Amino acid sequence: MSREELSIHLLFPVLNERLRLQSGIDRTMNYLKENVSIPYQLTILDNGSEDETPEIGMALAEKYPEVSYVRVGERGVGVAFRKGIEINECALVGYMDIDLSTDIKYLGRTIELFQTRPELEYVNGSRFAKESDTKGRKWYRKITSMGLVFLLKAVFHMKATDAVCGFTFLRKETAKQLVAACGKDNGWFYTIEFLLRAERMGVVIYDMPVVWQEDYNTTVKVWKTIKNYLVQIWRLRKTFKKESVKKC
């Protein structure tokens, strides 16, 4: 695919993000205008916000012709990601966290990778690659994140060094194939299944080291989070086993 044919669609799943939405979109648009020469679109995918997020999102869509606001109607990153892929018409599509925890410069790096490596289908941002630099991460969040990676490697033999960095981009055709292959989970675990299925399908993935900065405080119920990991992993393990039996 030539440089002229490339275009990119940035998806931003949001829920009650009145404090970060304006800044996140403004910073992204400033970066794109100054550093990106291919066509681009941004879509704010609202998962059922109950604060001022809808008003801010619609105002941003009025401010920037490249920005759209979509009310998804259901909560969960998974359903928002699927919706974004469904409406996408660009050659590249992916999602970013609205707080831009992954340094925005890696967006340019991602586009460059797709331009120079025609065989590449999937860029997976990683906080835990050897060259990555993660800052401001609370100890308990680091434990749960690294514990999740350990479990995914132990149970599914995951090759990637991270599964939930909040920075993922794919070629349009690959994204649609993976949506068709994945289940219909609406939550965050959908993005993990997305990556694991990509590995199982032999998709060419680049595990990209990033500079990652957590820029806001959050409370995490550690034991509840770990329990959720275990339940979702057990469910997906059973699903993969059933699919393997059917192929035999």
Side-chain angles (χ1 to χ4, degrees), residues 13-15 45-49 72-83 185-191:
V14 296
L15 175 64
L45 295 154
D46 188 344
N47 285 328
S49 296
V72 177
E74 296 180 77
R75 291 197 173 190
V77 173
V79 68
F81 190 29
R82 284 198 302 276
K83 180 65 175 179
D185 180 73
N186 284 352
W188 56 268
F189 202 82
Y190 180 84
T191 62

Side-chain angles (χ1 to χ4, degrees), residues 30-230:
N30 289 338
Y31 177 85
L32 290 166
K33 288 177 179 179
E34 295 177 7
N35 299 279
V36 173
S37 58
I38 66 173
Y40 50 83
Q41 296 179 9
L42 289 74
T43 298
I44 301 164
L45 295 154
D46 188 344
N47 285 328
S49 296
E50 298 174 344
D51 62 0
E52 295 85 2
T53 294
E55 290 79 10
I56 298 170
M58 287 185 280
L60 287 165
E62 289 277 337
K63 179 179 180 180
Y64 299 113
E66 301 88 353
V67 175
S68 300
Y69 170 83
V70 174
R71 183 82 170 183
V72 177
E74 296 180 77
R75 291 197 173 190
V77 173
V79 68
F81 190 29
R82 284 198 302 276
K83 180 65 175 179
I85 292 171
E86 175 190 328
I87 65 178
N88 171 59
E89 295 182 355
C90 293
L92 307 174
V93 61
Y95 77 97
M96 297 168 56
D97 289 338
I98 196 62
D99 59 20
L100 304 185
S101 292
T102 300
D103 194 311
I104 191 70
K105 70 181 181 182
Y106 290 99
L107 183 57
R109 171 66 173 148
T110 296
I111 294 170
E112 180 185 357
L113 284 166
F114 281 116
Q115 287 174 328
T116 57
R117 293 181 53 184
E119 79 284 359
L120 182 63
E121 299 174 80
Y122 193 131
V123 170
N124 176 60
S126 173
R127 297 161 296 178
F128 303 125
K130 289 181 180 179
E131 300 87 353
S132 296
D133 184 9
T134 300
K135 304 172 183 177
R137 190 73 166 163
K138 299 294 185 181
W139 67 267
Y140 46 83
R141 288 181 63 84
K142 186 177 292 186
I143 288 173
T144 55
S145 296
M146 294 183 72
L148 174 61
V149 171
F150 173 82
L151 288 171
L152 294 174
K153 286 185 175 294
V155 176
F156 301 107
H157 308 291
M158 184 178 77
K159 299 184 182 72
T161 57
D162 198 356
V164 283
C165 178
F167 188 93
T168 293
F169 285 89
L170 309 93
R171 295 195 190 273
K172 176 175 63 176
E173 298 80 6
T174 304
K176 288 185 175 181
Q177 289 171 4
L178 287 168
V179 167
C182 284
K184 299 299 181 183
D185 180 73
N186 284 352
W188 56 268
F189 202 82
Y190 180 84
T191 62
I192 295 175
E193 179 180 351
F194 205 81
L195 174 61
L196 293 173
R197 285 195 180 275
E199 291 190 347
R200 284 164 65 88
M201 291 166 60
V203 171
V204 180
I205 302 170
Y206 176 60
D207 198 52
M208 184 170 68
V210 297
V211 173
W212 194 92
Q213 172 73 54
E214 186 159 33
D215 66 352
Y216 64 95
N217 291 323
T218 184
T219 58
V220 173
K221 296 179 180 178
V222 176
W223 296 113
K224 183 178 179 179
T225 300
I226 293 172
K227 180 182 177 181
N228 198 13
Y229 286 164
L230 294 174

